[in-house]
Amino acid sequence: MPSIESSRIAHSIGTALDRFIKNNQSQFQYASGELSQLLRDIALASKVVNREVNKAGLIDLMGAVGSQNMAGDEQQKLDVLANIRFTRALAKGGEVCALVSEESDSFVDLNNEGQYVIAIDPLDGSSNIDVNVSIGTIFSIYRRKSPAGTPIQELDILQKGSEQVAAGYVLYGSSTMLVYTTGYGVNGFTYEPTLGEYFLSHPNMKIPEDGKIYSINEGSSNSFAQPVSDYLKFCKEKNYTARYIGSLVADFHRNLLKGGIYIYPATAKDPKGKLRLMYECNALAFVVEQAGGKASDGKERILDIALTDLHQRTAFFVGSKNMVEKAENFN
Ligand code: AFP
């Protein structure tokens, strides 16, 4: 009978994120190492945010800070802190020339020679912080269009989701995970806190084509459009399981692993949908497509929707391919 220690040693600890990024750098069409560095900067900032999230209850970081962000949500202390952590890490790296964040009114021009534009929701689901429920960071990376070193233009910022060169999310859950794509499949890394490193735990992630989980805030069902109500009726007739955390990254991640659909439709309160195209839906749409799933606003592919505004909202149907198609067919 092997001792616990020797059986542990028999298993290699796996590939660290840094090593993985380096090994796969050549896949990327602009293989200059800049994008790799950018991903490392995001990983580092997420470790700092993870540390703050884990001790939030101890150091009075919970609770609202009193102000509201651009989208009108109450800003939580940790939202503000996460925004600062990510902005600092990305500004310091020098690869990012402009940053769009849920927490700021307009984009931030970082005044450098960087080739990349990043759209980020530094801490999504922040109303869940006080009750110890999973939250996340969502990011989209674009290549700038105007020449490096010149002032940032609208065409650099308002790019369609299909132009993302990388995207992903960090889930601060029962364990912390970083999941991302550069357009060559989706890989998931789990944070090992004692080593301070992310390790590849979910290589080449694929979402099941079909599923039995539907995730929607049914509290607003009185104002759903008829096709959404009809689809929900169908889910119930099929005895599907309802699961809704109210934290987009956590709901999305569960459905990615198990198969399912997440819907945030237009409601009376949010007639265009609640979620933000640029720093919530585009990233998750890129990830889900790379994992074999689908994302639309009920009709149009999310990645094809033209952007006219930084804080533009959209209805969001995302998850297993067959489930999203079925929901769209009710339209
Ligand atoms: P907060 O960051 O303000 O908590 O918003 C989170 C979110 O944008 C997204 O994570 C959830 O899926 C969605 O809102 C939940 O919204 P409802 O409470 O309206 O269902």
Side-chain angles (χ1 to χ4, degrees), residues 73 124-127 217 244 246-248 262 264 274-276 280:
D73 306 322
D124 183 74
S126 47
S127 52
N217 184 347
Y244 190 74
S247 196
L248 177 60
Y262 175 97
Y264 207 112
K274 177 185 179 189
L275 301 178
R276 273 58 62 129
E280 291 181 310

Side-chain angles (χ1 to χ4, degrees), residues 111-314:
N111 288 316
N112 62 23
E113 301 273 320
Q115 293 283 4
Y116 296 94
V117 171
I118 189 158
I120 190 162
D121 184 348
L123 212 55
D124 183 74
S126 47
S127 52
N128 281 320
I129 295 169
D130 282 5
V131 288
N132 238 328
V133 171
S134 301
I135 45 186
T137 296
I138 309 173
F139 60 91
S140 288
I141 303 172
Y142 297 86
R143 185 124 173 130
R144 73 174 294 174
K145 290 190 183 284
S146 62
T150 60
I152 301 299
Q153 299 178 30
E154 201 169 81
L155 63 100
D156 297 317
I157 303 290
L158 297 179
Q159 300 193 45
K160 279 185 189 170
S162 56
E163 297 182 274
Q164 290 170 102
V165 294
Y169 58 86
V170 182
L171 172 62
Y172 310 97
S174 48
S175 59
T176 296
M177 277 195 76
L178 171 68
V179 175
Y180 80 92
T181 182
T182 54
Y184 295 88
V186 180
N187 291 286
F189 300 80
T190 301
Y191 184 57
E192 215 296 16
T194 58
L195 297 174
E197 280 283 3
Y198 284 102
F199 288 93
L200 181 62
S201 52
H202 296 63
N204 197 19
M205 296 170 87
K206 292 285 171 218
I207 184 167
E209 276 209 343
D210 234 320
K212 289 187 166 32
I213 297 174
Y214 69 102
S215 313
I216 187 167
N217 184 347
E218 281 202 84
S220 312
S221 60
N222 279 347
S223 65
F224 291 165
Q226 197 56 46
V228 177
S229 302
D230 291 344
Y231 178 66
L232 294 183
K233 189 163 168 273
F234 165 84
C235 291
K236 286 167 191 159
E237 282 162 7
K238 287 275 184 188
N239 283 324
Y240 286 175
T241 299
R243 289 283 182 273
Y244 190 74
I245 299 167
S247 196
L248 177 60
V249 174
D251 279 311
F252 176 87
H253 184 72
R254 180 202 51 243
N255 292 355
L256 180 66
L257 295 183
K258 292 184 180 273
I261 185 169
Y262 175 97
I263 303 176
Y264 207 112
T267 62
K269 190 170 164 234
D270 293 300
K272 292 187 171 159
K274 177 185 179 189
L275 301 178
R276 273 58 62 129
L277 181 58
M278 200 167 174
Y279 39 82
E280 291 181 310
C281 303
N282 273 339
L284 300 184
F286 190 19
V287 169
V288 87
E289 285 197 5
Q290 284 293 314
K294 222 178 157 183
S296 77
D297 66 356
K299 291 187 181 113
E300 190 178 0
R301 181 183 178 227
I302 288 291
L303 297 182
D304 288 338
I305 298 177
L307 265 147
T308 51
D309 175 50
L310 295 186
H311 301 285
Q312 188 169 325
R313 295 175 190 262
T314 180

Side-chain angles (χ1 to χ4, degrees), residues 34-42 86-101 107-120 139-144 148-150 152 156-157 165:
E34 285 176 333
L35 183 80
S36 304
Q37 187 52 47
L38 209 169
L39 288 168
R40 282 191 209 106
D41 293 341
I42 291 174
F86 279 100
T87 309
R88 263 194 213 149
L90 293 165
K92 211 170 170 184
E95 291 80 22
V96 176
C97 57
L99 186 136
V100 177
S101 161
F107 68 86
V108 182
D109 186 340
L110 295 173
N111 288 316
N112 62 23
E113 301 273 320
Q115 293 283 4
Y116 296 94
V117 171
I118 189 158
I120 190 162
F139 60 91
S140 288
I141 303 172
Y142 297 86
R143 185 124 173 130
R144 73 174 294 174
T150 60
I152 301 299
D156 297 317
I157 303 290
V165 294

